Amino acid sequence: MDTLSYKTISANAETVKKEWVVVDATDQVLGRLASKVAKLLRGKYKPNFTPHVDCGDNVIIINADKIVITGNKMTERVFLSYTGYPGGQKKATPASIIAKKNGYEKLIRKTVKGMLPKNKLADRIITNLYVYEGGEHKQQAQSPKSIDINLYK
């Protein structure tokens, strides 16, 4: 039996093949969309997934303003942050985030970042996410392929 054929191959920055994909967020539930996008960004759907390497794809989300938030989460879900000063606890709901400029982009980015590991690699991975509230995007030069996010688990 040849034991050399059973060696585990780990991906590194030189051997990773990153692709550009477009995801349409029309009528997608926010949490389900974010978890699948986080897996795409991380590279979990690829056979050469390596946990300590950025081997995921570059993801472009279009029509972010057409996402669906189920139940009463629009007003009852609370995001907490703390400034570090006494009395510096800030509260935000999805409705208050959406009301600001680029609100849908900020909400999706915050949701996807929460589903990534809490380390330095996650800070590099989240830069591969591009969110647009309309149907157009600026990454036409990369010739991204459009995928149906519902086909992924």
Side-chain angles (χ1 to χ4, degrees):
M1 184 160 95
D2 185 16
T3 58
L4 291 178
S5 64
Y6 293 105
K7 289 204 176 209
T8 302
I9 299 172
S10 295
N12 57 25
E14 291 80 31
T15 61
V16 170
K17 294 184 177 88
K18 297 175 78 70
E19 296 178 353
W20 286 81
V21 295
V22 176
V23 175
D24 190 4
T26 304
D27 297 329
Q28 297 289 329
V29 178
L30 175 63
R32 295 170 191 266
L33 173 73
S35 65
K36 292 174 185 177
V37 167
K39 282 185 176 181
L40 277 171
L41 287 170
R42 187 106 194 270
K44 288 273 199 151
Y45 292 118
K46 293 186 174 184
N48 62 346
F49 169 69
T50 307
H52 64 279
V53 176
D54 178 12
C55 56
D57 295 331
N58 296 305
V59 180
I60 304 164
I61 298 178
I62 57 172
N63 295 321
D65 53 346
K66 296 178 181 156
I67 59 166
V68 176
I69 299 176
T70 59
N72 296 328
K73 293 187 202 92
M74 186 66 88
T75 55
E76 292 182 3
R77 172 74 169 97
V78 177
F79 296 106
L80 295 175
S81 63
Y82 182 61
T83 62
Y85 290 96
Q89 187 177 34
K90 307 282 184 186
K91 296 180 182 178
T93 61
S96 67
I97 294 173
I98 288 172
K100 296 178 183 173
K101 183 179 178 186
N102 296 330
Y104 286 99
E105 176 186 350
K106 291 176 185 174
L107 180 63
I108 290 177
R109 191 172 290 277
K110 182 175 187 63
T111 309
V112 170
K113 186 167 172 72
M115 295 183 183
L116 291 174
K118 312 313 186 253
N119 56 21
K120 294 178 186 176
L121 181 63
D123 295 335
R124 286 196 302 261
I125 289 175
I126 198 69
T127 61
N128 296 331
L129 177 65
Y130 302 88
V131 183
Y132 296 99
E133 294 183 8
E136 298 295 321
H137 59 86
K138 300 177 190 173
Q139 280 76 25
Q140 295 294 346
Q142 282 76 24
S143 62
K145 67 176 185 175
S146 181
I147 62 168
D148 184 13
I149 199 72
N150 296 325
L151 299 177
Y152 292 89
K153 290 187 178 188

